[in-house]
């Protein structure tokens, strides 16, 4: 009976050691695998970002190609000649209408108001302006 207990103890110790060794091997394999998986996921994210950038650049490139072809057309040359060089055809009559849009008029009014306030400050004496500068907030 003592031999059986001893034999059963040895079997338990062997299975325990085998289990420990297998766990160590499993951990030794799992850690590098996890690192590779993480690296793979990071690389896939980078690839997606680069693909998105590439698509944006391709769209921009196609738009620029369209502009280049438009800039090479006679219509564009004529339009630029009309705008910049006052070009007109022989049988054409040109009418120029001068006017202001509302935004432009508002900007001019702001400039006028700024000029008036600066002129008012210019009428004050230098000591008065210094006194206002230092003691205005008190």
């Amino acid at each position: 009976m003592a031999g059986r207990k001893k034999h059963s103890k040895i079997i338990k110790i062997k299975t325990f050691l085998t289990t420990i060794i297998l766990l160590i091997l499993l951990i030794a394999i799992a850690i590098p695998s996890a690192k590779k998986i993480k690296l793979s996921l990071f690389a896939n994210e980078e690839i997606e970002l680069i693909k998105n950038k590439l698509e944006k650049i391709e769209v921009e490139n196609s738009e620029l190609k369209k502009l280049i072809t438009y800039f090479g057309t006679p219509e564009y040359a004529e339009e630029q000649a009309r705008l910049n060089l006052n070009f007109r055809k022989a049988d054409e009559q040109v009418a120029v209408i001068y006017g202001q849009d509302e935004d432009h008029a508002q900007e001019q009014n702001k400039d006028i108001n700024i000029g008036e306030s600066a002129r008012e400050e210019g009428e004050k004496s230098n000591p008065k302006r210094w006194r206002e500068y230092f003691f205005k907030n008190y």
Side-chain angles (χ1 to χ4, degrees):
M1 212 172 199
R4 268 190 176 181
K5 283 186 179 182
K6 195 175 189 184
H7 184 57
S8 132
K9 249 184 175 179
I10 292 173
I11 292 175
K12 285 182 182 179
I13 290 173
K14 283 184 179 180
T15 55
F16 179 73
L17 288 176
T18 308
T19 305
I20 295 293
I21 291 171
L22 288 175
L23 281 175
I24 291 172
L25 285 174
L26 182 66
I27 291 171
I29 293 171
I31 290 175
S33 296
K35 287 181 181 179
K36 286 185 180 184
I37 290 171
K38 184 178 176 183
L39 236 136
S40 169
L41 291 174
F42 180 73
N44 287 339
E45 288 175 2
E46 287 292 318
I47 289 170
E48 286 300 317
L49 286 174
I50 291 171
K51 282 182 181 178
N52 290 339
K53 285 182 183 179
L54 179 65
E55 287 175 5
K56 288 179 184 177
I57 290 172
E58 285 175 347
V59 167
E60 186 177 323
N61 192 16
S62 67
E63 290 173 0
L64 289 173
K65 284 182 181 179
K66 288 177 185 176
L67 279 175
I68 288 172
T69 55
Y70 172 67
F71 291 153
T73 60
E75 290 86 15
Y76 176 75
E78 183 179 339
E79 177 186 349
Q80 290 302 311
R82 287 179 185 274
L83 291 175
N84 297 326
L85 304 174
N86 296 326
F87 173 77
R88 65 183 177 102
K89 293 183 180 178
D91 59 342
E92 235 178 17
Q93 292 190 6
V94 178
V96 179
I97 301 171
Y98 292 104
Q100 293 181 352
D101 57 340
E102 291 180 26
D103 294 334
H104 185 48
Q106 288 176 356
E107 288 178 16
Q108 283 185 343
N109 288 338
K110 287 180 186 177
D111 291 342
I112 291 171
N113 292 338
I114 291 171
E116 289 175 359
S117 65
R119 191 174 341 117
E120 289 172 5
E121 285 186 15
E123 293 172 359
K124 295 178 184 175
S125 67
N126 196 25
K128 276 187 176 181
R129 286 188 287 178
W130 279 107
R131 186 177 49 210
E132 285 181 6
Y133 176 75
F134 284 113
F135 300 111
K136 188 174 188 177
N137 295 330
Y138 299 108

